[in-house]
Amino acid sequence: MTIELPQTWHEIEISKFPLIYDVVRDIDLDDNEKKIRIISILSDTSVNDLKKIKIDSINQLIDHIQFIFKMEFPKEVESFEHEGYLWKINYDITELNAGDFISLSKLTENEDTIINSLPQIVALFVKPYIKKWLHYEQVEMQHKEIQKLISNMSVGIIYPVAVFFCSVISSLQEDIEDYLEKQAKSVMKTMQKELNSKSTMIIGAGM
């Protein structure tokens, strides 16, 4: 059996990160079991098949994945190329519109939502560009389409960027709560005005 394993976070798709993360933080698994399960995730090989491999070969595989347990990641980048586009990252969170800001606050509510929403978080801050002659032009694209295109990006690109914005959003938590409360009050006022307007129209029609 030939098993190929990645040697850096840049070789692992972001879709596998939640699975890896769950194994790493599982306190019910011993170290050896964790390593076997991570090798299973990364190689798409069943745990049962891995347990049939000779111990020397397993130890060699384990050596390849030691970087996983260090949880050390590359620094965030300014841009990256993927799926034929140049993706530029805007690190200025103040440029988000109200809808995206609310989406971000929901995606970062707790550790589990963050880990399972990394592409969605990053999709709020990246814009695709395509090369036209000697310069790049921005391509208009919906958030869902952006999310779909970057969903198979590497952990080495997506995770550091998401962590940056999660850190920023965490420091702004009180401001976010105040903002959401004001938004809720604004919506209620608008609804009340509409209800009052309809009531006036009904009364007028009755007269």
Side-chain angles (χ1 to χ4, degrees), residues 109-165:
E109 282 180 339
N110 55 59
E111 185 178 2
D112 287 332
T113 57
I114 290 170
I115 295 301
N116 289 290
S117 308
L118 296 175
Q120 294 96 310
I121 292 170
V122 174
L124 293 169
F125 299 95
V126 296
K127 298 292 183 185
Y129 288 77
I130 194 165
K131 193 168 186 178
K132 293 285 185 72
W133 296 100
L134 299 177
H135 68 283
Y136 284 90
E137 291 183 3
Q138 184 178 332
V139 178
E140 292 299 324
M141 199 175 288
Q142 295 295 318
H143 178 265
K144 286 186 177 180
E145 189 176 356
I146 292 175
Q147 180 185 321
K148 183 178 179 181
L149 283 171
I150 68 173
S151 62
N152 62 344
M153 276 295 299
S154 76
V155 175
I157 295 292
I158 297 295
Y159 184 81
V161 175
V163 167
F164 171 86
F165 288 114

Side-chain angles (χ1 to χ4, degrees), residues 77-90:
V77 296
E78 297 294 327
S79 63
F80 58 90
E81 293 184 4
H82 184 63
E83 297 288 355
Y85 297 99
L86 173 68
W87 300 84
K88 294 184 180 181
I89 306 167
N90 184 0

Side-chain angles (χ1 to χ4, degrees), residues 21-99:
Y21 193 77
D22 284 344
V23 171
V24 170
R25 68 176 180 173
D26 192 335
I27 60 175
D28 294 325
L29 299 175
D30 62 35
D31 286 347
N32 289 329
E33 188 68 24
K34 286 181 179 181
K35 290 169 183 176
I36 293 293
R37 293 199 182 192
I38 287 177
I39 291 172
S40 172
I41 292 168
L42 295 176
S43 65
D44 295 320
T45 306
S46 72
V47 170
N48 287 335
D49 284 343
L50 289 173
K51 288 182 177 180
K52 296 175 185 176
I53 299 175
K54 292 181 180 180
I55 189 66
D56 288 347
S57 297
I58 282 293
N59 286 336
Q60 289 178 5
L61 293 174
I62 288 173
D63 286 341
H64 279 81
I65 62 163
Q66 290 301 331
F67 71 94
I68 296 286
F69 295 92
K70 294 178 182 178
M71 282 289 169
E72 295 176 353
F73 300 89
K75 292 184 178 180
E76 62 270 13
V77 296
E78 297 294 327
S79 63
F80 58 90
E81 293 184 4
H82 184 63
E83 297 288 355
Y85 297 99
L86 173 68
W87 300 84
K88 294 184 180 181
I89 306 167
N90 184 0
Y91 284 97
D92 188 353
I93 198 171
T94 63
E95 293 189 11
L96 284 181
N97 60 42

